[in-house]
Amino acid sequence: MTDRPLSPLSDSENPAPQSRRARFLGLARATRDNYIPKITGSVSQMASGATRAFANPNDLYDDQGRILFPKDTSIHLFPSYTRQVDDKYYIDVKGWVSCPGLMTRKNRLVLSLVRQVTRYNVNNSATDQAINQLASEKLKPDVLHDSDTSDVESTSSDLSKNELPLDPLHSKSSTASSLSNEDLIKERLAWFIARSIPNAPLTIVVGSEEVHGEIAEKGIYTDENGNFETTVEVNYTPSVVQVRATTDDTIFSFQNIMLVPSDGIGLISDIDDTVKLTGVIGDKREMMTSLLLKDVSSWNIPPVIKWYDALYKASHVDFHYVSNSPWQLFSTIDQYFKAVNLPIGSIHLKQYTGNIISSLMEPTLSRKKRSLDKIVKDFPNKRFICVGDSGEYDLEAYVELAKANPGRIISINIRFVENSLSDVDDLKILTELKRILATKRRVVNSPSPKVEEMPNLIDLSEDSSSTTPEAAERRAKLPPMVPKKPSNLKGSQLQKKPPLPTRDNIHRAHTDSELKSDIAFMPSDGNLEVAPPLPRRAPTFQVSDEYEDSHHVNLFDNLQNIYNSPHFYELEEMDKRGATWIRKVITAVQDLEETGTDLRIFTDDEHEFFSNFAIDIKN
């Protein structure tokens, strides 16, 4: 038997036998490259879910740490803007994830208190007590957790009977006339009593204008109150935003892109008592009744709405609404905006703390400052108009914004709200504030006085023939110089006498009539009695027109002079709120001195203000 020669084969086709050690090393290498990453990823996913579950033991998670969304969960997207920087687009996305509220003991208490407050023709101690309870810090917003079903009104009844309306934005009946008071209260309180879903995983998808274009995605979690806010950066022209629950594709929401130009003019506006009658500084019972029972069209402020519409159409102004109202009021705010046809724009509200009245009346500056700063920073090539009201701290917030951004804020316009300027006479203080602003405006707009060129009084030319006739004439008119006195003829310098010490106990000299008046009140026993004080006069702080015309330059070179006037002392004693507003406006005028920002206070019937404003913008 002969051996046939073997055909030549490559090493791969006829691998050499490997040792046991080599096979072991190959298996270890494959395990390292393939199996360990998969195991690590699975363990990390389980650990992250377990971490969220342990950190939030009351939240509803499955065995893998994924949240279980209740039925009728909704994702609410709030109006935000998109901006373009070079070839990139930045899309702001913000919203809230919630499910219907249940009739828990706390919510039954809230509904009972609201019924008491909004009951017609009732204004007694029980109503005041109900208002105080609604403003209590003990009230917290509802959050989804395991014990939700243990505190409902009737655990044996159908759950839907215990649920409040889910989404007032899409309610079939949105007008007060079509609903009973009870149903209307429940509908407008629905978002206040809804359960927020914290730590919910969401996926944000930004669509493209091109049909087959690229799509950007971003994952995000809701915070402890179910809110979320982020910015997505894309390299293509965006068209629509979709936000969906990562673990449940049936829960999603869409929103169109609102692209805001990078230049031009923007209008930053407050909402409550600026474009919508809320009554924040008025009676709390009336405010709650208006909010929960009246038709949204009754909140209309026609002059301001017409003004905004004219600016939007004629000047192509984009709008940004910044308010201290909580996001739970967005449903009714959206209904109102649509009812009165307010220009669309981005909306910036605050998170709800749980107490309804306090959340409506909390006049904090810090909550607005973050939104104001972000808007101005996001649009560095845009100039802004700021509109607010005298009922809150809009003036201070806008002045701080103008100081931080000189040349960027065209004007600050404060709408006069009744009973907000004075404890005695609102109109008198309003008149004085307008007088101060008008006087300052005249000083700014008045032409600078012409400074005549001083003649050359000293001729240093050596050649008298080269001097001009004017110089020769001046030289002829000048008196001869007084020669210096020799030092040996000067006497010794006398020391000045020190000034007499002042006596603090004597402020003025008594006249004979004053002495006689004092003696008239001296009793027979010789003890001196003090004369009774003069009756108080009503506060009359006023700068006369003659004083303005002759002294307005000096007055506004040092506005503190107003504080030192006797009229202001009297005003401060009789009307603290009025004096405070005088100080606020004077301080604002001083702070705005180098910013190029105009400050105005206007009333609803001030037709000249509304008609001339568009002209001022164009100029």
Side-chain angles (χ1 to χ4, degrees):
M1 182 174 178
T2 59
D3 295 333
R4 291 183 300 174
L6 298 175
S7 61
L9 297 174
S10 65
D11 293 340
S12 60
E13 293 175 344
N14 188 19
Q18 296 180 349
S19 64
R20 179 180 300 177
R21 181 174 179 274
R23 290 196 302 271
F24 178 76
L25 290 175
L27 178 62
R29 190 178 298 109
T31 302
R32 180 195 65 186
D33 297 338
N34 298 322
Y35 297 107
I36 289 181
K38 293 182 180 179
I39 295 174
T40 303
S42 300
V43 171
S44 299
Q45 184 178 2
M46 294 175 61
S48 61
T51 301
R52 291 194 301 273
F54 283 117
N56 303 276
N58 291 327
D59 293 337
L60 300 177
Y61 291 93
D62 60 14
D63 295 337
Q64 297 181 357
R66 298 178 303 183
I67 193 168
L68 298 175
F69 290 93
K71 68 172 186 177
D72 295 332
T73 296
S74 291
I75 299 176
H76 314 279
L77 293 178
F78 303 133
S80 56
Y81 55 74
T82 297
R83 54 194 173 92
Q84 182 180 4
V85 181
D86 298 330
D87 296 331
K88 295 183 181 295
Y89 291 86
Y90 297 87
I91 304 98
D92 285 0
V93 183
K94 54 188 174 184
W96 176 47
V97 181
S98 68
C99 60
L102 300 177
M103 280 298 185
T104 60
R105 293 186 182 93
K106 188 207 77 169
N107 291 339
R108 291 199 303 272
L109 172 63
V110 170
L111 286 174
S112 175
L113 294 174
V114 168
R115 294 189 191 102
Q116 175 68 31
V117 172
T118 58
R119 194 173 299 166
Y120 290 107
N121 299 324
V122 175
N123 192 4
N124 50 31
S125 58
T127 303
D128 296 336
Q129 184 178 1
I131 290 174
N132 293 333
Q133 287 184 268
L134 284 174
S136 172
E137 295 294 335
K138 296 181 180 179
L139 295 177
K140 301 297 180 182
D142 287 346
V143 178
L144 178 69
H145 53 75
D146 290 330
S147 60
D148 281 339
T149 58
S150 63
D151 193 32
V152 295
E153 187 175 38
S154 176
T155 56
S156 61
S157 61
D158 187 0
L159 185 61
S160 62
K161 296 180 180 178
N162 292 317
E163 290 180 351
L164 292 171
L166 172 66
D167 192 352
L169 276 175
H170 303 96
S171 176
K172 295 181 180 179
S173 300
S174 59
T175 60
S177 59
S178 60
L179 295 174
S180 64
N181 287 349
E182 182 70 16
D183 292 336
L184 191 60
I185 288 176
K186 286 185 177 181
E187 180 184 293
R188 293 187 178 176
L189 282 180
W191 278 21
F192 287 95
I193 302 180
R195 294 170 293 166
S196 302
I197 302 181
N199 306 300
L202 304 175
T203 300
I204 301 174
V205 181
V206 180
S208 173
E209 283 189 347
E210 300 179 6
V211 178
H212 300 290
E214 59 178 321
I215 294 179
E217 292 189 2
K218 183 176 183 178
I220 192 175
Y221 284 88
T222 59
D223 63 14
E224 60 183 2
N225 293 315
N227 295 280
F228 61 91
E229 183 174 356
T230 188
T231 300
V232 182
E233 176 185 342
V234 299
N235 298 319
Y236 53 87
T237 305
S239 61
V240 68
V241 173
Q242 182 203 46
V243 180
R244 56 180 171 83
T246 305
T247 58
D248 191 342
D249 292 338
T250 63
I251 302 173
F252 60 88
S253 182
F254 285 95
Q255 184 181 65
N256 291 325
I257 293 294
M258 185 189 301
L259 182 61
V260 175
S262 58
D263 55 4
I265 296 176
L267 191 146
I268 300 176
S269 174
D270 182 45
I271 294 178
D272 295 311
D273 291 324
T274 300
V275 298
K276 164 182 168 289
L277 287 177
T278 304
V280 172
I281 66 169
D283 183 74
K284 296 177 182 179
R285 188 180 69 88
E286 293 181 0
M287 179 188 68
M288 291 294 294
T289 301
S290 174
L291 174 66
L292 298 175
L293 291 180
K294 290 187 178 180
D295 192 270
V296 294
S297 59
S298 65
W299 306 336
N300 189 12
I301 306 177
V304 177
I305 305 302
K306 184 178 179 181
W307 175 38
Y308 279 22
D309 184 61
L311 292 176
Y312 180 73
K313 293 178 179 179
S315 305
H316 305 287
V317 176
D318 52 85
F319 286 75
H320 307 273
Y321 300 95
V322 182
S323 173
N324 271 328
S325 293
W327 281 114
Q328 277 66 14
L329 269 180
F330 173 71
S331 58
T332 55
I333 290 175
D334 183 71
Q335 291 177 17
Y336 170 70
F337 275 34
K338 292 176 180 177
V340 299
N341 294 320
L342 264 171
I344 60 173
S346 64
I347 296 181
H348 310 263
L349 307 181
K350 70 179 182 183
Q351 291 196 13
Y352 177 51
T353 60
N355 37 50
I356 299 176
I357 292 182
S358 295
S359 64
L360 294 173
M361 307 188 70
E362 182 184 21
T364 59
L365 293 177
S366 58
R367 296 184 183 274
K368 274 191 175 183
K369 187 178 186 304
R370 176 178 175 271
S371 297
L372 295 176
D373 291 341
K374 183 181 186 305
I375 293 171
V376 175
K377 182 180 178 180
D378 284 347
F379 300 96
N381 298 323
K382 188 184 290 291
R383 300 176 68 203
F384 292 91
I385 305 161
C386 296
V387 185
D389 62 86
S390 60
E392 295 180 333
Y393 289 93
D394 292 336
L395 175 60
E396 291 87 339
Y398 291 148
V399 168
E400 289 297 321
L401 185 68
K403 286 172 58 180
N405 302 274
R408 301 282 310 282
I409 309 301
I410 298 174
S411 64
I412 298 173
N413 308 275
I414 302 299
R415 175 180 175 267
F416 165 67
V417 178
E418 190 176 356
N419 298 324
S420 65
L421 299 181
S422 170
D423 297 323
V424 179
D425 191 339
D426 253 13
L427 295 180
K428 183 179 288 294
I429 297 299
L430 176 63
T431 301
E432 298 308 321
L433 295 179
K434 287 196 167 195
R435 185 190 300 271
I436 292 173
L437 295 177
T439 305
K440 180 60 178 178
R441 198 171 293 113
R442 288 204 302 271
V443 173
V444 173
N445 296 331
S446 61
S448 302
K450 294 183 179 180
V451 179
E452 297 183 359
E453 185 177 356
M454 293 294 292
N456 184 13
L457 300 179
I458 303 176
D459 187 6
L460 300 179
S461 59
E462 296 180 359
D463 188 4
S464 59
S465 62
S466 62
T467 58
T468 61
E470 291 81 1
E473 183 180 357
R474 286 197 304 271
R475 234 184 353 262
K477 293 182 180 180
L478 291 176
M481 295 181 62
V482 178
K484 293 184 179 180
K485 190 174 184 179
S487 58
N488 58 348
L489 297 178
K490 292 182 180 180
S492 59
Q493 187 175 1
L494 298 177
Q495 298 291 334
K496 294 183 179 180
K497 294 182 179 181
L500 294 175
T502 58
R503 290 179 291 178
D504 297 334
N505 59 333
I506 300 179
H507 297 287
R508 60 182 176 84
H510 290 274
T511 62
D512 293 340
S513 59
E514 288 174 332
L515 291 175
K516 292 179 181 180
S517 175
D518 291 341
I519 295 174
F521 284 92
M522 183 178 294
S524 57
D525 57 3
N527 295 327
L528 184 64
E529 291 185 357
V530 180
L534 296 174
R536 291 183 175 181
R537 293 180 297 171
T540 55
F541 176 78
Q542 183 172 352
V543 182
S544 65
D545 294 333
E546 296 178 357
Y547 184 81
E548 284 184 356
D549 294 337
S550 58
H551 298 84
H552 67 272
V553 175
N554 294 332
L555 172 66
F556 285 100
D557 282 344
N558 183 12
L559 290 173
Q560 299 292 337
N561 290 340
I562 294 181
Y563 302 150
N564 299 326
S565 67
H567 297 294
F568 187 80
Y569 291 147
E570 185 179 355
L571 176 72
E572 200 167 32
E573 182 181 357
M574 300 294 295
D575 185 2
K576 291 184 178 181
R577 185 185 295 184
T580 299
W581 264 100
I582 297 290
R583 289 183 182 274
K584 286 169 63 172
V585 169
I586 291 177
T587 303
V589 169
Q590 290 176 320
D591 290 341
L592 296 175
E593 191 73 33
E594 304 298 330
T595 63
T597 303
D598 188 24
L599 174 59
R600 295 177 184 268
I601 300 177
F602 67 94
T603 59
D604 292 344
D605 58 355
E606 198 168 340
H607 304 293
E608 184 179 357
F609 168 81
F610 297 110
S611 60
N612 293 339
F613 196 89
I615 300 176
D616 294 340
I617 293 178
K618 293 179 181 180
N619 293 337

